[in-house]
Amino acid sequence: QVQLVESGGGLVQAGGSLRLSCAASENIFSLNTMGWYRQGPGKQRELVAIITRGGITNYEASVKGRFTISRDIAKNTVYLQMNSLKPEDTAVYYCNAVRNWEPYWGQGTQVTVSS
């Protein structure tokens, strides 16, 4: 069982920045992928950014150029740096990890962007 603990959410004005952190209970090299999803009010959960074991990253189209996913292997932590935030980025952000096709989820952290 992989445990994921998120932190770093909060309230920010449009144009501001936040950095989310996700600490994993295991060596992140044991995980196939780690990523961030979000679920806005009345919306389905969607993938925001993902990083593979090999370090390949991919982003949802609306966040490309504004968000950056990265990792600190020594700390078993993945980050999501969010810049130029927009009100439409408001959502609960969830950390996700996949190991051998089995997904694991964090508890979620609220990000609210005011206009």
Side-chain angles (χ1 to χ4, degrees), residues 4 6 20-22 33-40 43-51 58-60 63 67 69 78-80 82 89-98 101-111:
L4 304 170
E6 302 119 330
L20 305 182
S21 300
C22 173
T33 63
M34 290 192 73
W36 290 93
Y37 286 69
R38 67 185 179 188
Q39 187 166 13
K43 297 181 180 179
Q44 290 188 333
R45 191 173 297 190
E46 64 176 357
L47 175 65
V48 176
I50 192 168
I51 184 166
N58 200 13
Y59 298 90
E60 192 271 329
V63 308
F67 292 10
I69 188 169
V78 170
Y79 304 97
L80 185 68
M82 305 185 293
D89 294 318
T90 294
V92 178
Y93 284 70
Y94 296 91
C95 182
N96 168 271
V98 176
W101 304 107
E102 185 169 2
Y104 299 90
W105 295 94
Q107 78 284 359
T109 185
Q110 176 70 46
V111 172

Side-chain angles (χ1 to χ4, degrees), residues 58-100:
N58 200 13
Y59 298 90
E60 192 271 329
S62 70
V63 308
K64 281 183 180 178
R66 299 189 298 124
F67 292 10
T68 302
I69 188 169
S70 63
R71 62 188 180 182
D72 185 329
I73 296 168
K75 295 182 178 179
N76 292 324
T77 299
V78 170
Y79 304 97
L80 185 68
Q81 178 67 43
M82 305 185 293
N83 299 328
S84 302
L85 282 160
K86 305 175 181 180
E88 50 264 44
D89 294 318
T90 294
V92 178
Y93 284 70
Y94 296 91
C95 182
N96 168 271
V98 176
R99 183 175 64 188
N100 298 331

Side-chain angles (χ1 to χ4, degrees), residues 8-14 16-18 20 85 90 109-115:
L11 173 64
V12 65
Q13 288 188 332
S17 299
L18 283 174
L20 305 182
L85 282 160
T90 294
T109 185
Q110 176 70 46
V111 172
T112 302
V113 185
S114 63
S115 57

